[in-house]
Amino acid sequence: EAQLVESGGGLVQAGGSLRLSCAASGFVFDDYGIGWFRQDPGKDREGVACITNSDGRTLYTDFVKGRFTISRDNAKNTAYLQMNSLKPEDTAVYYCGAVLGCELYPSRYEVWGRGTRVTVSS
């Protein structure tokens, strides 16, 4: 069964860094783009970044440009989100998803992980 598993979340001080991982199994990883989304209770799930399946093209939401970097290693069936200069408003549960293409809207994503929590202290 197709599956994504996030890891790497935790508690950090403002200005710190985290590297999230998204490990894939049960589907052809390099057929799919990978997106990172985040969500707090009572808020909509918002797109953070995505990366295409093989050519390395990326999209970022304006709020994280210059601070976050999405990448993938197709040989490892894993995608990453490097998060630097973290701010308290980055606090959320972060989810990865698989999609045909690369987009910052959640509706077409076909597989989702269960999320990893990121908390940034003020």
Side-chain angles (χ1 to χ4, degrees):
E1 182 176 341
Q3 184 174 279
L4 296 171
V5 179
E6 303 94 339
S7 62
L11 174 64
V12 297
Q13 290 184 307
S17 297
L18 286 172
R19 184 177 184 248
L20 307 183
S21 296
C22 175
S25 60
F27 66 100
V28 180
F29 183 67
D30 61 5
D31 281 350
Y32 284 83
I34 297 295
W36 286 97
F37 291 73
R38 65 189 185 187
Q39 188 169 27
D40 275 332
K43 302 283 288 184
D44 292 335
R45 185 170 297 191
E46 65 173 344
V48 175
C50 65
I51 185 166
T52 53
N53 63 314
S54 62
D55 66 10
R57 285 179 286 190
T58 58
L59 295 172
Y60 296 92
T61 190
D62 287 345
F63 189 78
V64 307
K65 284 181 179 177
R67 299 189 299 123
F68 292 8
T69 302
I70 189 170
S71 62
R72 65 190 294 159
D73 185 341
N74 286 347
K76 293 184 169 68
N77 285 356
T78 302
Y80 306 94
L81 186 68
Q82 179 67 47
M83 309 166 68
N84 298 327
S85 301
L86 283 161
K87 303 175 180 180
E89 50 263 50
D90 295 319
T91 295
V93 177
Y94 283 72
Y95 300 88
C96 64
V99 66
L100 293 176
C102 176
E103 60 189 74
L104 298 179
Y105 302 91
S107 61
R108 294 189 182 275
Y109 280 74
E110 298 182 25
V111 185
W112 291 98
R114 297 182 67 85
T116 185
R117 183 172 296 277
V118 172
T119 303
V120 185
S121 64
S122 59

